[in-house]
Amino acid sequence: EGAGVLRSARSLTDAAARLEALPADFAHKAAEPGVETWENANLHLVARVLVAAALRRAETRGCHWREDHPDRNDADWARHLVVTHGPDARTLDVRTTATTAFPPTAVPPVATAVTKEKP
């Protein structure tokens, strides 16, 4: 709610506040490690990233309509948004790229197993 196709700064701010309040609402429940817990954590993170990025992009683009910014603005927003965890791993840092090119991504090295042939 508040981050669907029709959005505004107010609806996105309200959605962000509700998402931030979720961990506090469920603090009384012990999280059991398992697939359901991990899926819920991932869904919560994706929802927070979506809302943070939508709040940052003050324009209408594609099928996502900002009611408070109804026009597309290529001069300022023909860029990508990059969202990363803040230093405390709880906050999100949202920034725009300097160009329309996709930002480079760091690919972690792939671990390879060393096997020994049996004599």
Side-chain angles (χ1 to χ4, degrees), residues 56-59 61 73-81 96:
R56 174 68 188 256
R57 185 177 289 278
E59 68 155 356
R61 183 162 296 264
N73 179 351
D74 285 341
D76 293 331
W77 290 106
R79 306 279 187 268
H80 298 280
L81 294 173
T96 57

Side-chain angles (χ1 to χ4, degrees), residues 1-4 10-26 44 48 51 90:
E1 187 178 335
R10 181 179 178 154
S11 73
L12 291 166
T13 300
D14 290 346
R18 287 193 308 276
L19 287 167
E20 290 302 316
L22 279 178
D25 290 347
F26 297 106
H44 184 243
R48 289 179 55 230
V51 169
R90 181 77 189 122

Side-chain angles (χ1 to χ4, degrees), residues 19-67:
L19 287 167
E20 290 302 316
L22 279 178
D25 290 347
F26 297 106
H28 65 281
K29 296 180 182 177
E32 295 288 331
V35 174
E36 185 177 352
T37 301
W38 299 323
E39 286 176 347
N40 287 337
N42 290 338
L43 288 170
H44 184 243
L45 177 60
V46 169
R48 289 179 55 230
V49 168
L50 182 145
V51 169
L55 191 55
R56 174 68 188 256
R57 185 177 289 278
E59 68 155 356
T60 290
R61 183 162 296 264
C63 65
H64 299 283
W65 185 271
R66 280 289 298 261
E67 294 175 308

Side-chain angles (χ1 to χ4, degrees), residues 71-95:
D71 298 318
R72 182 175 161 158
N73 179 351
D74 285 341
D76 293 331
W77 290 106
R79 306 279 187 268
H80 298 280
L81 294 173
V82 177
V83 183
T84 56
H85 275 121
D88 63 359
R90 181 77 189 122
T91 58
L92 297 174
D93 177 41
V94 183
R95 65 175 179 81

